[in-house]
Amino acid sequence: MNIKKDDVTGPEVIALLHDHLQSITLHSPPESIHALDAERLRQTDVTFWSAWDGDGLLGCAALKELDSLHGEIKSMKTSPQHVRKGVAKQLLHHLIEEARQCGYQRISLETGSMAAFHPARSLYEKAGFYYCDPFADYKEDPNSLFMRLDI
C-alpha cells in the first residue's frame, strides 16, 4: 500500500468522497453530518492522504489542524471493494504518526452513534481512542459520538 499526500482533485478520489458523503446521508440526519466535501478538504488547515495499490484507490483520510497541539481526523473512507482488508487500520496508523510529527498532543474525531458506524468506532477503540465530550465547535448530539487519542 502506498499512502501519499493528495490534492483532492483526481476522479477516483472525488468519486470515493462522493460515496462517503452518500453513505453518511443514509444513516445520519442532515444536521448531524460533519463530513467535509472535496473543496473543504483542499483548504490549508487540512492535509489529505489517499492510499493506493498500483492504480487502484484503496481509501483516504485527512487530518484537520484545530490548533498547534490538536488535530481532527476527517474523511476516513475505505473503497467498498477493499473493506475489511486492513486499509483503514493502516490509514489510521499513518494519521497518528503524522499527528506526532506535527507536534500534536491529541487527535480527536466525531463519528456516528448508529449501528452502521460500529466498525469505525471499533477500529478507533482498538487504536487507543476513548470517548470524550464534544470538542472544537461540536455540540452534544444524540447522533454523534466523540473520541480522542492522547499522543
Side-chain angles (χ1 to χ4, degrees):
M1 177 184 307
N2 178 29
I3 299 174
K4 63 180 185 175
K5 279 189 183 176
D6 195 298
D7 63 4
V8 197
T9 59
E12 301 95 337
V13 169
I14 299 296
L16 183 59
L17 291 170
H18 178 74
D19 180 57
H20 180 57
L21 291 170
Q22 287 294 103
S23 65
I24 291 171
T25 62
L26 296 175
H27 306 287
S28 299
E31 66 274 11
S32 297
I33 296 175
H34 304 287
L36 302 180
D37 63 15
E39 182 177 333
R40 182 63 185 92
L41 289 166
R42 290 186 204 107
Q43 300 302 308
T44 58
D45 62 339
V46 177
T47 305
F48 184 87
W49 292 271
S50 55
W52 298 83
D53 182 10
D55 291 337
L57 179 62
L58 303 177
C60 64
L63 194 58
K64 177 181 175 188
E65 183 171 290
L66 298 175
D67 63 45
S68 64
L69 301 176
H70 190 186
E72 178 183 5
I73 293 176
K74 301 297 289 183
S75 302
M76 282 276 298
K77 178 68 176 175
T78 301
S79 297
Q81 61 271 31
H82 297 289
V83 172
R84 293 181 187 28
K85 295 181 181 177
V87 173
K89 182 178 180 180
Q90 288 187 54
L91 278 166
L92 181 58
H93 288 299
H94 180 82
L95 290 179
I96 293 168
E97 184 55 35
E98 289 288 334
R100 280 190 181 104
Q101 290 180 18
C102 287
Y104 295 158
Q105 293 181 355
R106 65 189 175 283
I107 49 178
S108 302
L109 62 93
E110 177 275 337
T111 190
S113 62
M114 294 70 91
F117 297 95
H118 182 266
R121 293 191 308 267
S122 179
L123 171 73
Y124 299 130
E125 289 170 358
K126 289 175 184 171
F129 284 77
Y130 60 90
Y131 293 93
C132 63
D133 291 331
F135 59 94
D137 295 330
Y138 291 105
K139 307 283 186 246
E140 286 288 342
D141 179 345
N143 299 300
S144 291
L145 292 172
F146 306 94
M147 301 180 82
R148 173 177 162 175
L149 178 69
D150 299 316
I151 53 176

